[in-house]
Every structure is written in structure tokens, then in C-alpha cells.
Amino acid sequence: MEYATLADYCRRLETADADVELVATLADLFRTADADHLPAVVTMVRGKVAPRWEGLELGVSSSLTTDAVLRATGVDPDALEVEWRDRGDLGAAAEWAVENNRQRTLVSGTLTVIGVRETLRELASYEGHGSRDRKVEALAGLVADADPTEARYLVRTALGYMRIGVGDGTVRDAVAEAFLTDDPEAGDDDAPGTPAATVSGVKAVERAAQLTNDYRVVARTARDEGIAGLRDLDLELGRPVELMLARKAEGLEAGLTDVARRDGAGDADAPGWRGHVLVETKYDGIRVQAHVDGDDVRLFTRRLVDVTEGFPEVVDALRTGVGAERALLDGELVGYDAATGEPAVFQELSRRVKREDDVEALAAELPATLHCFDCLHVDGRTLLDEPLDARLDALETAFDPVDGLERAAATVPDDVAAARACYREAVDAGHEGVMLKNLDAGYQPGRRVGRMLKHKPVMEPLDLVVTRAQYSEGRRSSLLGRLYLGAYGPDADAFREVGRLSTGYTDAELSELTDRLEALVVDRDGRDVTVRPELVLEVEYEELQTSPEYGSGYALRFPRFLGVREDLGPTDADTVDRVERLYEAQ
Ligand code: ATP
């Protein structure tokens, strides 16, 4: 395929006004590409010359590109600069430069899609002395052979952005539209009102993309083998997958019920959470997927970067500990201070990824442990559609814990108090918090899903005194559910309010708090009571804001009840000064 064809399509995509038009145009481009060019077209339309996980860095800056455009076209540097500024994009400025080319006679050949891709890929291999000049030369060669439209997109591809509105979702929909609309097998399980084959096609493409992480393979398979071929695609060891991501829990108790609902699939179907939710330590480290294929072990981060070389002791642990012949494990890599055994903060561990020092020296100073919490594949069985429960069974049999390789600490709590105890234990051991996971749910690569929630204290909890309270509405109307909290101001020996608490407690806890507060009431006004400031509560929250609403001048955002500090008197509570310092520090 000539590069001019791709460039023309890019122009049409850039000027498309609706998503439907974008998808239709892209589908048309995919149908137009022959089998050899389709993989290149699929990546280049996103401004890439390789999938992200290949980690290919072209090392092309805008100043290098400018030099290449100047060398190819001979336009005035200041004029190019002005065009760049006015058009807001170096690709558009390159287009202008080619239109005003003073060296038109140098044009020597026709650019092809594969030719452009190969030249750009080669740039990545130029290293060391003279490499910049070689890159300028190679890029100038392409620009010299380009017409204005080709130059516009060539330059954008070299810089790694296309600005034509094509994202992963557009590519997914276009592959389905181009190759799968007529599939007779499709149309079994989809929404009314949409051409069933297209919706099933989109799902099949998305699934295949999650498994392979490579739209080159997906597009070619869709084209040559249709939906059936896509359904046969599988994880491949050595090729990283997108990992499942979490959402935030609205507090521990709400999280337990929410996570049991499986991505908001409807309350009516929600099982009781007891027995269905795993509460697991949330470690503060680096998310990695470990691919074990016999002795061949590779570690990839969440961004699909290969970090195997940085963690030789973990690679050894996987070689020793994993009994399965082939496995893909998901986990968190945590560095532990060799002297104290304490978990290191993430920033420390990232030194090991960057390999800032000798790898062995760093490993001795900050040995890492992989805490595994999921198993995506074991010995020929891909487990993504299996419930977490079954995947954890597979994890259990896939490896034996050894130094540097462990299961993440987890329990299936029977009540909120047990879940809270896990959370406390995790935080007290220096970890970040807990993950809440639905034991009946499958694994969704690359998605932020409600079947896995995270719960952590965002700020250090504060100990605050209840100054006023209000009765709740509705079901809890006999309970004092809204509690105003004050920080201690030693100067005036008074409490200054910092916010109002209304979540985090169970009914039983709230009823006990109500009894205690009613005994402290000094004034009543309808449903509002003022209380003697005696009861100290431990409260977590997400951040501090300044606020004219409360006497302290600050307000807690999303405060949540953690417990009563029986051991503290009101003057032991956190002070207004401390709140101020925390506000400054955040
Ligand atoms: P955060 O900054 O809170 O870690 P994030 O955006 O990096 O969030 P999320 O998916 O939102 O990632 O939160 C879950 C992250 O927590 C995972 O990506 C993983 O790195 C980490 N983690 C630590 N322990 C666990 C665990 N037991 N199960 C799942 N993820 C865990």
C-alpha cells in the first residue's frame, strides 16, 4: 500500500465529525489494506510503529524533526517556526514546508506504508556518537519523498501522536465493522436495537485484544478467520497482558457489599457478601505479571515494561517455587529494607526498576518479594473466565512459597469487625490498606472494575471530639447519625469544628454512640443537639480543604468513622494547629 493512501485516510479521519463516520472510514481503510500491510496500518494509524509492549523508543524530538524538515525542504527556519506556532502542530508545519519546498527536484521515490514503518523502526536502533545526525538524515529522506499530506502524518508518526481522534475503541469497532459484520455465528447475546453481529463482533475483538495485546494479530485474524479465529486466540507467555484494575471503595463496610454486586449488576441479584468477598493486603510496590515458561521467566509491569533484569532474586524464586511448567501470575513486587525488614516505600523500590545502581547491590540492600494474588494461566489452562475462587486454587497449586515469592495475605471475613481487623493488621504492618475482591467474578484485563475495590487511609487518621450532633433521617431517625467534629485549640481551651461525619459506622456502633452522646447533651434544638465535648473519635478522610463553614477554617472531605479512642481525653485530641500543618503538607 502506498503511504499516500494511508495519509489520505488519516486526513479523512481527522476531519470526520462523528464517531460513526470515524469508525466507518477506518473500517474502510482496514478493508483496503492487503494482508501484508494490514498489521502496519493498524499500528500506524495510532501513530505507532510497534505495540507498546515492544518498548521501542524512536528517540525523535521535535527539534530533531524540525532539523529533518529543514534539511528536506530548505524552507526558512524562522518561517517554519512561525508556521509551527500558528498551526500548533509540527505535522501541519511540515505540510506547509513541503508545499513551499525549495528543493522539489530532490523527490526520488514513492513511499509505502511498510517502507515508512521500517525506516522509522530503524531510528530506534541508532545509538551513540553521530546517531542524532543519522536520525535527522533518515527522517529528512522520508520528508523529501513525501507530498504535503504525507509529510503531515509522517512527522506526527515520528513524534508518536496522530491527533486524528482514533483511539483503541475506534480501532476495535472498526476491525469488527470491517471484517465481522456478516458472521453467521454472532448475535447470540446482545442488546436489542443494535445489529447483533456487530455487537458480538466488537466483543470478540475486544476480548482478543485483551488476550493478545496486539491489534496486528487481532486485525489479521478477524480478516482471515472471523469470529471463530478470534475466539481461538489466547494468552501467550512472554507477551504481556493488560492487568485488571480496581475502583475505590466508599469505605470498608460499603465496599464489602458493593464488591459483592459485581460491577453494579443489580442489587436484587447481589449475594450477601459474607463468604463471597476476599479481603487482601494491599501492598505498596510495583504491580507485575510473572510469565513462567519452564526456566524462562519474565516480569512485566502494569505498563507492560519488561523489568526482568532488575529483579534477579525474584526470577530465581519463581524458577524454584513455581511447580507448574507454565504459568502467568499477577502480583505486587515489594521491596523490604534488608536491615529492618520493613516494607520500603514505592519510590525506593523504583530505584531497582531504573537500575540506578549495580543490580546485585540494590538487590542486597532492598530485596524484593513478589506477593502473588492471581493466576491467569497454568499449564495450558487460561483462567480469565474462571471465578477468583478457582483462580486462587490454581495459584495455590502453581507454586510453593519460597524466599522472594509468597501469596498475598488474605482472608474471607464473616463480619465487618473481622474485615476491619484485616485492614488494621495490614496498615499496622506498614502496608497501604486492603483490596476487596469478589470471589465469584472472572478476570477483566485492562479494566477498572467494581469486582475489585481498594480501601486505604488517604490521609493519616485524626482524633477528633464530637461537639454537636443531629438525628438522621429515615431508617436511622432515632440515631444521632451526623456528628460534628472539633479539633482542640489549646490557646482558647475550646474545640473548633472541622467537619461532619456521617459514614463508616454500623447500626450497632451508631446506636452505641447515640447512647453515649445522649448522656452528654447540654442543649437541644429540634433534631439538633449540642454535647459536652468528651467523646474522641478516630476518623479517616480523603483530604483537607479550607472552609468558611466551620470554626477551624478547615473541612475534612469524605470523613469516615474508624472507632472510638477510649484511651484519649478531649484535650488529647488533635489540635487545630496540627490540622493546619496537615493541610499545608498535603
Ligand atoms: P494505587 O495508587 O491505589 O495503587 P493504581 O491506580 O496504581 O492505584 P489500582 O488498580 O487503582 O492501581 O489499585 C490497585 C493497585 O494496587 C494494583 O494495580 C496493584 O498495583 C496494587 N496492589 C497491591 N496489593 C494488591 C492486591 N493484593 N491485589 C490487587 N492489587 C494490589
Side-chain angles (χ1 to χ4, degrees):
M1 182 190 257
E2 289 189 3
Y3 189 70
T5 309
L6 177 60
D8 283 342
Y9 271 99
C10 288
R11 172 85 73 192
R12 284 170 54 193
L13 290 163
E14 193 174 351
T15 50
D17 348 286
D19 280 355
V20 186
E21 190 186 343
L22 204 61
V23 171
T25 309
L26 196 56
D28 195 32
L29 167 65
F30 291 165
R31 265 188 243 107
T32 306
D34 57 49
D36 288 345
H37 277 86
L38 182 61
V41 166
V42 169
T43 49
M44 286 178 72
V45 83
R46 300 290 315 276
K48 305 277 178 267
V49 295
R52 183 156 57 109
W53 49 266
E54 268 191 29
L56 198 77
E57 290 289 339
L58 301 190
V60 172
S61 63
S62 42
S63 99
L64 188 153
T65 309
T66 308
D67 289 352
V69 172
L70 292 173
R71 192 175 297 183
T73 61
V75 295
D76 174 52
D78 292 337
L80 182 67
E81 182 82 30
V82 169
E83 291 298 328
W84 180 9
R85 208 177 43 228
D86 288 353
R87 295 168 187 243
D89 158 43
L90 198 46
E95 179 180 8
W96 167 86
V98 170
E99 273 160 5
N100 293 277
N101 189 354
R102 309 228 162 144
Q103 296 164 191
R104 211 166 269 286
T105 50
L106 292 182
V107 173
S108 62
T110 305
L111 297 172
T112 64
V113 172
I114 286 182
V116 170
R117 183 192 64 184
E118 289 312 303
T119 306
L120 291 177
R121 280 182 73 106
E122 259 173 48
L123 299 185
S125 64
Y126 297 163
E127 280 174 1
H129 183 69
S131 63
R132 186 182 191 279
D133 206 50
R134 287 175 70 201
K135 286 184 183 182
V136 171
E137 188 65 40
L139 198 52
L142 291 176
V143 176
D145 285 342
D147 69 20
T149 302
E150 288 176 305
R152 180 182 181 94
Y153 297 107
L154 242 177
V155 158
R156 289 185 183 178
T157 308
L159 291 167
Y161 66 84
M162 284 303 265
R163 290 184 169 194
I164 56 175
V166 173
D168 268 346
T170 332
V171 174
R172 175 199 61 206
D173 292 356
V175 169
E177 184 164 324
F179 305 122
L180 301 177
T181 42
D182 296 321
D183 191 279
E185 266 185 55
D188 37 2
D189 52 355
D190 297 309
T194 323
T198 311
V199 178
S200 290
V202 167
K203 278 190 187 166
V205 171
E206 178 166 86
R207 176 86 181 147
Q210 286 167 346
L211 288 168
T212 61
N213 226 330
D214 193 341
Y215 263 108
R216 299 173 306 183
V217 176
V218 175
R220 208 170 34 210
T221 307
R223 178 197 140 106
D224 297 341
E225 298 166 44
I227 286 195
L230 289 179
R231 288 186 177 146
D232 283 345
L233 289 175
D234 202 353
L235 296 176
E236 216 172 81
L237 291 174
R239 187 174 58 191
V241 282
E242 301 277 351
L243 297 172
M244 179 161 77
L245 302 176
R247 291 201 192 129
K248 256 191 206 156
E250 297 292 330
L252 188 60
E253 197 189 344
L256 291 166
T257 29
D258 286 350
V259 79
R261 277 183 200 138
R262 308 184 52 172
D263 302 333
D267 296 11
D269 302 335
W273 63 266
R274 288 172 185 76
H276 295 270
V277 177
L278 184 80
V279 178
E280 187 167 71
T281 298
K282 182 178 196 307
Y283 299 91
D284 185 16
I286 297 171
R287 177 86 175 265
V288 295
Q289 45 186 304
H291 293 236
V292 180
D293 190 356
D295 266 353
D296 187 8
V297 173
R298 309 232 58 91
L299 300 175
F300 297 95
T301 65
R302 177 171 139 190
R303 308 214 60 221
L304 316 181
V305 177
D306 189 334
V307 291
T308 315
E309 306 297 322
F311 298 94
E313 80 279 30
V314 177
V315 171
D316 282 346
L318 284 157
R319 282 199 186 116
T320 318
V322 176
E325 194 48 35
R326 294 158 55 76
L328 202 172
L329 311 178
D330 187 1
E332 188 88 351
L333 204 51
V334 181
Y336 288 90
D337 187 306
T340 64
E342 297 285 313
V345 291
F346 161 76
Q347 286 80 353
E348 278 291 301
L349 185 65
S350 62
R351 288 168 53 214
R352 297 204 48 189
V353 173
K354 294 181 200 142
R355 289 188 266 153
E356 278 173 2
D357 212 333
D358 174 62
V359 169
E360 299 296 335
L362 280 172
E365 190 190 322
L366 206 65
T369 292
L370 179 61
H371 296 274
C372 291
F373 47 73
D374 217 320
C375 179
L376 278 53
H377 179 98
V378 66
D379 286 337
R381 275 200 312 141
T382 291
L383 304 170
L384 300 185
D385 294 332
E386 302 277 327
L388 175 59
D389 222 357
R391 301 201 305 277
L392 292 177
D393 286 345
L395 190 61
E396 189 70 39
T397 50
F399 76 88
D400 289 323
V402 290
D403 257 9
L405 179 65
E406 282 182 12
R407 273 285 296 274
T411 43
V412 182
D414 280 334
D415 54 25
V416 177
R420 205 168 271 154
C422 282
Y423 170 64
R424 273 282 140 225
E425 204 175 303
V427 173
D428 289 347
H431 302 299
E432 250 193 316
V434 286
M435 305 296 297
L436 310 177
K437 300 182 179 180
N438 185 320
L439 281 165
D440 307 322
Y443 193 99
Q444 270 275 317
R447 285 278 183 82
R448 208 167 267 291
V449 288
R451 63 189 68 174
M452 170 159 115
L453 302 177
K454 55 185 171 184
H455 175 65
K456 55 183 181 180
V458 176
M459 298 277 290
E460 240 184 295
L462 284 171
D463 302 317
L464 299 165
V465 179
V466 183
T467 51
R468 293 188 288 144
Q470 256 169 8
Y471 287 92
S472 302
E473 310 287 342
R475 191 174 62 82
R476 284 174 161 181
S477 63
S478 63
L479 301 174
L480 285 167
R482 298 175 183 156
L483 311 180
Y484 288 82
L485 302 168
Y488 185 50
D491 295 344
D493 194 22
F495 294 90
R496 305 259 177 255
E497 284 178 357
V498 292
R500 196 183 73 177
L501 179 70
S502 50
T503 52
Y505 15 63
T506 61
D507 283 2
E509 283 168 334
L510 193 54
S511 143
E512 196 197 322
L513 285 174
T514 303
D515 287 347
R516 294 177 70 168
L517 288 167
E518 280 180 339
L520 300 173
V521 169
V522 290
D523 198 3
R524 259 179 210 278
D525 179 7
R527 301 186 64 75
D528 294 313
V529 297
T530 306
V531 296
R532 249 194 341 267
E534 281 188 11
L535 190 64
V536 185
L537 306 184
E538 186 180 22
V539 173
E540 67 175 11
Y541 56 97
E542 293 206 352
E543 65 175 341
L544 280 163
Q545 295 177 315
T546 52
S547 162
E549 207 184 327
Y550 297 112
S552 65
Y554 297 97
L556 306 178
R557 279 194 56 159
F558 306 122
R560 241 185 285 282
F561 173 76
L562 286 179
V564 178
R565 289 298 306 260
E566 307 289 1
D567 51 336
L568 298 186
T571 54
D572 301 317
D574 280 304
T575 59
V576 176
D577 274 354
R578 170 129 203 279
V579 170
E580 203 165 302
R581 282 199 307 275
L582 286 171
Y583 172 78
E584 306 289 354
Q586 75 186 358

